[in-house]
Each structure stands twice: as structure tokens, then as C-alpha cells.
Amino acid sequence: MRVANTSGKWQGMAAKLGVISLGLALAGCSSMATTGTGSTGPAKTSGSQDNGVYLINCSEVAQPEHRVELDAIDAAMEDRQYYAALARLEGLSFDTQAHWLRWAKLLGQVDQLDYSEEVFRAIVDECNSYQALHGLGVVQVKKDNTLEAIDLLTKAKSQAPANADIRNDLGYALMRAGRIVQKGAPYNI
């Protein structure tokens, strides 16, 4: 009596199907288009000018795993490890406004003020958040555009009147412009 060995045939077919399935899955993933969400690093699309337009996501809700990464980046920023924080951030997907704001701030910290300004302006244009107005105002102070900085920081203050950092930076910009000449000057900072 002869018993057919069919288990070897099935194993061979299963292995071939597994390889084919893996190949199709990888081919499908490599042909997917990337957008501002889900891709790693900041996404840019070509605009009508030489500089591109960023695909900003204004969402303020970060997933728990992103929150952990953002906290680690914040810790590196507090330790003045700006390049390490920038490298870590650029490895993430830019799924929230918090990612974009940190990236723009870090660009300013590593003296890439023009790029920082470009990103902050894109965030202001898309989201009009007080955080982006504040960041753009700080960049303008660093670039000695004091009057524009005062305008931006005043707008940020109107959106977040209790924010001490905005008021402090506005006071600094006003001092640089010579608008506060003595202690207790009558300007509502």
C-alpha cells in the first residue's frame, strides 16, 4: 500500500504564496503617495513660487506614542541639545501642529532663521494659532525686524492673553523698539 506524501506539496505551495504575498504588499507600500500626515518628516508640495508649500496639519490631538516622543524632544530642547532634538523630530511623522511648531522652533534654535520663518508663516497661514504667531514674532526679534515682531506678538497676546511667555517676549520687543523708556511705563503688556 502506497501513501501519497501530500504535506510536502502543501508546504511548498504555502511558501510560494507567502513570498508572492510579501512581494505584493511591499510593492503596494512603495507606490503609495505621501502626504503631510503619516509620512516621516515635514512634507512639502511644490507651490507657485520657488519655495514650496508645507502640508500643515493643524490638529492639536497627539496620539500617546507621539506624546512620549514629543516629551523626549522637549527634554532634549531644555538641555539645549537642539541638533539631537531636530534629528529625532525629523524621524517622526508630522501628524499634529505640535510637531510643526517644534520643528520651526528648532530651526530657529540652530540659526536657520529663514527656514524657521518660512515654517512659522505656513503654520500661521494654515492654523492661525497663537503659538505660531508667538514663534514667528520671536524669529522676527532675532532677525531685528522689531516692528513686525511687535505686531505678531500683539496678535498672539490677543489670542492668549494670560500666556506669560508671549507677554515677556512682547515686552522685550517693545524695549528693543524703545517703546518702554522707564520702569512702569503705561503700556499694557
Side-chain angles (χ1 to χ4, degrees):
M1 179 167 166
R2 184 170 175 221
V3 177
N5 185 3
T6 58
S7 66
K9 290 181 185 178
W10 288 109
Q11 287 176 347
M13 273 202 321
K16 289 177 185 176
L17 284 174
V19 170
I20 291 170
S21 297
L22 180 63
L24 289 173
L26 291 175
C29 290
S30 67
S31 66
M32 291 172 51
T34 59
T35 63
T37 60
S39 61
T40 57
K44 247 185 150 176
T45 182
S46 59
S48 57
Q49 301 174 351
D50 283 345
N51 61 344
V53 177
Y54 293 98
L55 300 173
I56 307 292
N57 187 343
C58 296
S59 172
E60 294 183 9
V61 179
Q63 298 297 322
E65 61 272 11
H66 290 162
R67 188 73 250 156
V68 170
E69 286 291 335
L70 291 174
D71 288 344
I73 290 165
D74 289 342
M77 290 170 69
E78 287 175 13
D79 291 341
R80 297 179 184 258
Q81 297 174 350
Y82 302 124
Y83 288 100
L86 190 59
R88 188 169 190 164
L89 180 64
E90 288 178 345
L92 300 176
S93 59
F94 280 48
D95 292 333
T96 66
Q97 185 180 169
H99 291 87
W100 289 98
L101 290 168
R102 280 172 181 76
W103 188 53
K105 184 175 181 178
L106 282 166
L107 289 172
Q109 293 293 345
V110 297
D111 292 327
Q112 294 185 23
L113 295 177
D114 291 336
Y115 293 122
S116 179
E117 178 182 4
E118 180 182 321
V119 175
F120 273 127
R121 284 196 190 281
I123 300 168
V124 168
D125 290 345
E126 189 68 28
C127 308
N128 195 33
S129 68
Y130 74 89
Q131 300 100 322
L133 288 165
H134 178 216
L136 186 55
V138 169
V139 169
Q140 294 308 315
V141 168
K142 288 180 178 182
K143 291 178 83 172
D144 289 327
N145 297 333
T146 310
L147 297 178
E148 185 177 356
I150 291 170
D151 181 50
L152 291 163
L153 291 168
T154 302
K155 288 177 185 175
K157 186 189 93 166
S158 70
Q159 289 185 17
N163 188 302
D165 291 333
I166 293 172
R167 289 177 172 273
N168 183 47
D169 292 333
L170 177 57
Y172 179 74
L174 289 167
M175 283 188 343
R176 287 193 55 165
R179 294 206 187 158
I180 296 179
V181 290
Q182 61 187 16
K183 186 177 178 179
Y187 191 87
N188 183 15
I189 298 177

